[in-house]
Amino acid sequence: MEKTRVVLADDNLNVLRLLTDYFAETPDIELVKCVSDGALVVDAVRACRPDVLVTDIIMPRRDGFRILEELNGLPEAERPRVIVLTGLSRDDFILRAVKLGASYYMVKPFDVRLLANRIREVAASFEDACVAELPGAHESARADVDEQVTNLFLTIGIPAHIKGYHYLREAVRMVLAEPDVMSRITKELYPGIARKFDTTASKVERAMRHAIDVAWSRGRLDAVNSMYGYKVLSPDDKPTNGEFIALIADKVSVKKSA
């Protein structure tokens, strides 16, 4: 089994010990280097060539944002995927990390099993271009779609801890897999999501609406419009659940085919 190689950058020794012990028992993930000094992170990446870098934001001598900037200066083949793992949950920090190239942003305290899954997902996305014609490529493609949707939601301002975030992400997956489901949103899409998350269709609908309301109240729409080069979202024209899902699915679909 080929292992996913990981460099961990964190000045919290408890976190380093926790993850060192956990990954020692994880057969498909290899923790190749732990770094507690931010100024040494990029050197560790160059030396170890990891698939994924997991880094905190607050680090001695170099913060996580400076690390991301320095990674962007490396040749593309040498850049790992980056998961930001930090105790800072400020929206502007999340947006800045995503803009600088972070694939995922996790807030401490965290579940080590969830972190391991995120490492697998972003590593699969990293390899997507190389294995597109091989068996199992659909799994990498799904990871890539999840990453695009996650980055879009974070950029728009939908926080990852609310239920509507997860329901909307699942809805986009469903629409990408079967576009016609948009014509059966109340009879099939909401109930399908409800079954997966063990809830009711009405709660799914309300949670999605709440997530969209939160996003529109945060005024992040210019950031999304700038990503596409033209106005796709307007603060004065808040979409319905179905319109929002269709819009995100369409943008992800266009990006996949580009």
Side-chain angles (χ1 to χ4, degrees), residues 157-231:
I158 300 178
H161 67 275
I162 64 175
K163 291 180 179 179
Y165 170 98
H166 301 283
Y167 298 163
L168 285 166
R169 190 167 70 166
E170 182 62 23
V172 172
R173 288 177 184 154
M174 291 174 66
V175 171
L176 288 171
E178 187 180 352
D180 287 347
V181 78
M182 281 305 305
S183 64
R184 305 185 297 276
I185 189 168
T186 57
K187 293 185 177 179
E188 188 169 328
L189 190 139
Y190 290 155
I193 295 170
R195 285 192 296 271
K196 178 168 183 176
F197 289 92
D198 192 24
T199 185
T200 66
S202 60
K203 288 182 179 179
V204 168
E205 182 179 10
R206 287 198 300 272
M208 286 182 176
R209 170 49 43 192
H210 172 68
I212 294 170
D213 288 343
V214 168
W216 255 249
S217 71
R218 293 186 172 191
R220 297 263 196 82
L221 307 186
D222 286 345
V224 178
N225 292 334
S226 67
M227 290 173 64
Y228 293 102
Y230 59 96
K231 191 172 184 178

Side-chain angles (χ1 to χ4, degrees), residues 4 14 20 38 55 61 65 69 83 116 142 154 164 167 173 183 191 195-196 222 225 237 252 256:
T4 298
N14 290 328
T20 297
T55 183
R61 297 208 293 165
F65 300 124
E69 290 171 350
I83 295 176
R142 171 164 174 163
L154 290 175
Y167 298 163
R173 288 177 184 154
S183 64
R195 285 192 296 271
K196 178 168 183 176
D222 286 345
N225 292 334
D237 189 17
V252 172
K256 281 176 64 183

Side-chain angles (χ1 to χ4, degrees), residues 20-219:
T20 297
D21 291 345
Y22 182 79
F23 290 130
E25 303 297 326
T26 307
D28 61 329
I29 297 175
E30 180 182 6
L31 187 55
V32 295
K33 185 77 172 179
C34 291
V35 185
S36 57
D37 183 339
L40 302 179
V41 174
V42 174
D43 287 341
V45 167
R46 288 197 188 102
C48 299
R49 301 295 292 270
D51 303 299
V52 179
L53 168 66
V54 179
T55 183
D56 198 353
I57 290 292
I58 303 301
M59 297 276 290
R61 297 208 293 165
R62 295 278 198 286
D63 65 28
F65 300 124
R66 177 72 179 277
I67 291 168
L68 285 166
E69 290 171 350
E70 291 184 357
L71 289 175
N72 287 332
L74 295 179
E76 186 173 354
E78 296 181 17
R79 294 179 216 156
R81 291 288 185 176
V82 180
I83 295 176
V84 173
L85 179 65
T86 182
L88 303 172
S89 59
R90 283 177 44 175
D91 293 339
D92 56 333
F93 284 1
I94 296 172
L95 181 59
R96 185 178 177 188
V98 170
K99 284 185 173 181
L100 286 172
S103 296
Y104 204 82
Y105 194 106
M106 293 185 68
V107 178
K108 299 174 183 176
F110 62 98
D111 184 326
V112 291
R113 293 168 298 180
L114 180 59
L115 174 61
N117 286 337
R118 293 295 174 261
I119 289 171
R120 294 182 183 103
E121 288 174 4
V122 301
S125 176
F126 181 76
E127 297 167 358
D128 185 50
C130 300
V131 300
E133 303 302 323
L134 298 179
H138 63 282
E139 296 177 3
S140 294
R142 171 164 174 163
D144 185 59
V145 166
D146 283 350
E147 180 187 337
Q148 291 180 46
V149 174
T150 295
N151 287 349
L152 274 171
F153 284 2
L154 290 175
T155 302
I156 292 169
I158 300 178
H161 67 275
I162 64 175
K163 291 180 179 179
Y165 170 98
H166 301 283
Y167 298 163
L168 285 166
R169 190 167 70 166
E170 182 62 23
V172 172
R173 288 177 184 154
M174 291 174 66
V175 171
L176 288 171
E178 187 180 352
D180 287 347
V181 78
M182 281 305 305
S183 64
R184 305 185 297 276
I185 189 168
T186 57
K187 293 185 177 179
E188 188 169 328
L189 190 139
Y190 290 155
I193 295 170
R195 285 192 296 271
K196 178 168 183 176
F197 289 92
D198 192 24
T199 185
T200 66
S202 60
K203 288 182 179 179
V204 168
E205 182 179 10
R206 287 198 300 272
M208 286 182 176
R209 170 49 43 192
H210 172 68
I212 294 170
D213 288 343
V214 168
W216 255 249
S217 71
R218 293 186 172 191

Side-chain angles (χ1 to χ4, degrees), residues 240-255:
T240 65
N241 290 357
E243 290 169 342
F244 181 79
I245 293 164
L247 176 65
I248 297 299
D250 179 65
K251 295 309 169 189
V252 172
S253 178
V254 168
K255 195 170 182 179

